[in-house]
Amino acid sequence: MTLKFGTSGLRGLVSELRGPPAFIYTAAFVRMLQDRGSLKEGSKVYVGRDLRASSPEIAQLVHAAVAGAGLVPVDCGALPTPALALYANSENAPAIMVTGSHIPEDRNGLKFYRADGEIDKRDEGDIVQIHAGMKDTVPPRSPVEPARLGAEPSRRYAERFLGFFEKGSLSGLRVGVYQHSSVARDIIVDILRGLGAETIPLGRADHFIPVDTEALRPEDVALLKDWAAAERFDAIVSTDGDSDRPLIADNDGIFVRGDLVGAITANVLGADCVVTPVTSNSALEHCGHFARVLRTRVGSPYVIEGIGTALAEGARRVVGFEANGGVLLGSTVEKDGRSLPALRTRDSLLPILCALSAIATTGRPLARIAADFRFLAGASGRLEGVPSENSASFLGKLATDAAYADKSFAVLGGVANIDNRDGVRITARNAEVVHFRASGNAPELRCYVEAEAQSRADELLGWGLALGRAQILES
C-alpha cells in the first residue's frame, strides 16, 4: 500500500486511493473535527480538485463521506489549492482538495484543511488512528449530489491580488504563461492582464503533465529555453498541478530556483523574518536582506509552525517559503493603503506577482535582481522508484557511521558538518553541500547540492545521485 501522509497531504497510487480509501480517509478527517467540537451537523465542507483524470471520481467519494457524516459537501470544482483554502478560511469552514500536486497522473491525493488552515502533524496522526477503526466502512453505491458553489472562490482569489497590487503596475511587461495542465492556467492569465501585463499563453495541454517545480523535467527546461529564444519575454511563469507552487523563468528561459523566488518575494514584501526549511540556500543568512532566518524541516506544516514561533518572538512581517517555491504569507502586509491578509498555505500567484513587480519597479531583468541575493549555485534532482526502506538504510548509515560518511565524501575532502534535521545535509571540507532526503510524497530519494558555480553544482548533483544510486543498489 502506497497511501501515506507526506510533506503536504495524503498521497498514493490512484488504484489504491480510489474507492473505500478516499471515502474512509475523508470520513476520518471530518470525524476528527466532529470529535473536537469543530463541526456541527449541517456544517459545510468545501471540496475542490485539480485537472487529473481521476480527480472528479475521487471528489465524488469525498462528497459522499462528508454527506454520510451529516455535513453538507460543497463542490467548488477545479480551482487552485490556495483559492480553496482562502475561501474556506473566510467562511470559517474546513476544506478538502483532491490533488496529487506535481506527482505522475497514476497517483493522486487529498489535502485537508481545518477552518483555521492546513492540518498539522498531530492532525495527521489522529486521522490515521480514526481511519484504522473504520477500515470496514463501505461507500454508498449511489453518488451524492453536493451543493455547487461556482466561480466565487476563484473570483475572491483573483481579487486578493488585484486589490493589493496597483492597477497597471505590470504595464510594459511581456510575460509567457506555460499553461500545461495547471489548474490555475486561466486565472494566471486573467490576473496578469488585469495588472497591465501583455500575457501570452503557451503549452496548454489536454492531458495531465507532472510539472515539479523542485525538479524540472528535461522537457520543461527545453521548452522554457525554446520559448525564450523564439520571442521576447520579461519572464515565463507557471505552476505545478494544483497551483500552490510557482515556476518562474527569466528572459532567457532560465529557471529561477524556488528558494530564490521566495527570497525575492520576501524582499518585495519587506519581510523582517523569513521561515524556510533546511533545504533552502545557505546564502539566505548572509545576503543582508533579512534580519532573521528561521530554519525548519521540509514541509508546509513545519514552516507554518515556524511562522507561529517567529510571530510569538516578536517578528512583525513574516514570509515563509520552501525550496520548491511555495510561499506562505505569515502576517498581513499593508502597502500604500492596500492590505494583503495573511494566508498560511503555499501559494504560487503571490511569488509570481512579486517577481514580476520587482522587474517592473526596478526596470532590471530578473537575472540581475536574483543576483543581488548572492545565492550559491544550486541544483536538485531525484532517484525515482526508491522504496522508503532503501532510502532509510542509506541515510541512516550516512548519519550514524562517521567513517562511512567520510569515506563516501573523500572526493570532496571528507565531511566537515552533518545536519540531521531532515534527511542528511552534509557540508564537505571543500565547503560544498550535498543534502539527501527521502521524499514524503513518492518513492524517491531527493538530492540537493550547493557550490560556487552552476557548472560545478550540476556536476556535484550528478555525483550525489550516482553515490545514492550505487549505495542503494548495494543495500
Side-chain angles (χ1 to χ4, degrees):
M1 178 70 73
T2 66
L3 290 177
K4 65 176 182 176
F5 281 97
T7 55
S8 180
L10 180 76
R11 303 278 174 82
L13 292 169
V14 169
S15 59
E16 295 180 353
L17 180 62
R18 181 190 287 128
F23 180 88
I24 298 171
Y25 270 108
T26 299
F29 167 64
V30 296
R31 172 77 63 81
M32 176 189 74
L33 297 179
Q34 290 171 320
D35 290 348
R36 295 179 184 177
S38 301
L39 279 180
K40 298 179 181 179
E41 188 171 352
S43 295
K44 294 179 179 179
V45 177
Y46 294 95
V47 182
R49 63 182 184 272
D50 66 14
L51 296 178
R52 291 165 190 270
S54 62
S55 290
E57 179 186 350
I58 295 171
Q60 289 180 358
L61 292 160
V62 172
H63 296 151
V66 170
L71 306 167
V72 178
V74 181
D75 182 11
C76 298
L79 80 171
T81 292
L84 176 68
L86 176 71
Y87 187 85
N89 183 258
S90 70
E91 297 296 310
N92 194 34
I96 303 169
M97 181 71 179
V98 180
T99 180
S101 188
H102 62 279
I103 57 180
E105 192 172 18
D106 66 343
R107 299 171 183 272
N108 211 327
L110 300 172
K111 289 184 178 179
F112 298 111
Y113 288 82
R114 305 184 308 254
D116 60 342
E118 290 187 30
I119 62 170
D120 56 26
K121 292 301 177 182
R122 175 201 164 206
D123 297 329
E124 289 178 8
D126 288 348
I127 292 169
V128 170
Q129 185 174 9
I130 295 170
H131 172 271
M134 303 175 70
K135 283 188 175 180
D136 296 329
T137 305
V138 178
R141 293 185 178 181
S142 300
V144 167
E145 186 62 29
R148 299 191 187 276
L149 189 56
E152 181 62 15
S154 292
R155 186 193 67 78
R156 285 198 195 177
Y157 181 60
E159 285 299 320
R160 169 180 173 82
F161 301 113
L162 293 172
F164 179 72
F165 290 92
E166 190 174 358
K167 186 177 181 180
S169 59
L170 300 184
S171 294
L173 296 190
R174 194 167 192 269
V175 183
V177 177
Y178 176 23
Q179 293 191 305
H180 62 92
S181 51
S182 162
V183 76
R185 60 190 180 183
D186 294 320
I187 198 171
I188 296 177
V189 172
D190 292 342
I191 292 172
L192 294 183
R193 288 177 177 169
L195 293 173
E198 180 186 356
T199 307
I200 296 87
L202 303 164
R204 191 180 184 93
D206 58 5
H207 61 282
F208 187 80
I209 297 177
V211 172
D212 185 348
T213 62
E214 194 172 24
L216 286 184
R217 303 175 310 149
E219 304 97 299
D220 295 320
V221 173
L223 278 174
L224 294 170
K225 291 183 178 179
D226 289 346
W227 284 326
E231 297 191 54
R232 183 195 68 79
F233 293 114
D234 292 288
I236 300 173
V237 302
S238 186
T239 78
D240 65 343
D242 70 321
S243 303
D244 67 348
R245 294 160 36 172
L247 185 162
I248 303 174
D250 65 20
N251 61 305
D252 290 322
I254 304 300
F255 172 64
V256 182
R257 286 172 49 95
D259 46 4
L260 183 48
V261 168
I264 292 170
T265 304
N267 190 53
V268 168
L269 296 176
D272 60 353
C273 177
V274 298
V275 180
T276 193
V278 293
T279 49
S280 292
N281 201 278
S282 302
L284 283 168
E285 282 84 353
H286 313 295
C287 67
H289 289 286
F290 310 113
R292 184 183 181 196
V293 177
L294 193 159
R295 297 280 183 164
T296 72
R297 294 180 63 187
V298 173
S300 54
Y302 299 111
V303 176
I304 292 168
E305 182 181 350
I307 287 171
T309 298
L311 291 170
E313 294 176 352
R316 300 182 64 184
R317 189 172 290 192
V318 182
V319 173
F321 57 84
E322 299 182 88
N324 57 36
V327 169
L328 304 91
L329 186 57
S331 49
T332 296
V333 175
E334 305 284 348
K335 183 178 181 181
D336 299 330
R338 300 183 298 274
S339 179
L340 186 67
L343 181 61
R344 296 181 195 174
T345 194
R346 289 189 303 205
D347 186 14
S348 61
L349 265 291
L350 180 58
I352 286 172
L353 294 173
C354 284
L356 295 177
S357 178
I359 299 170
T361 301
T362 65
R364 303 167 69 207
L366 184 55
R368 288 182 60 190
I369 292 168
D372 289 345
F373 292 84
R374 304 195 304 275
F375 267 36
L376 295 171
S380 62
R382 58 188 171 178
L383 297 176
E384 299 179 284
V386 179
S388 57
E389 57 269 24
N390 293 51
S391 292
S393 174
F394 171 56
L395 297 176
K397 286 176 68 178
L398 277 180
T400 61
D401 188 335
Y404 169 78
D406 222 39
K407 181 179 178 181
S408 298
F409 278 70
V411 69
L412 306 182
V415 174
N417 182 65
I418 295 181
D419 185 332
N420 295 327
R421 269 179 290 193
D422 198 331
V424 180
R425 185 178 181 86
I426 292 179
T427 302
R429 289 198 177 93
N430 68 354
E432 294 178 336
V433 175
V434 181
H435 184 167
F436 294 104
R437 61 178 291 275
S439 170
N441 298 321
E444 299 172 350
L445 179 70
R446 292 191 176 248
C447 180
Y448 315 82
V449 303
E450 293 179 5
E452 284 293 332
Q454 190 59 54
S455 59
R456 174 55 186 162
D458 294 339
E459 180 184 1
L460 187 61
L461 176 62
W463 175 85
L465 291 172
L467 172 66
R469 185 182 297 109
Q471 296 303 314
I472 286 169
L473 288 175
E474 289 178 4
S475 63

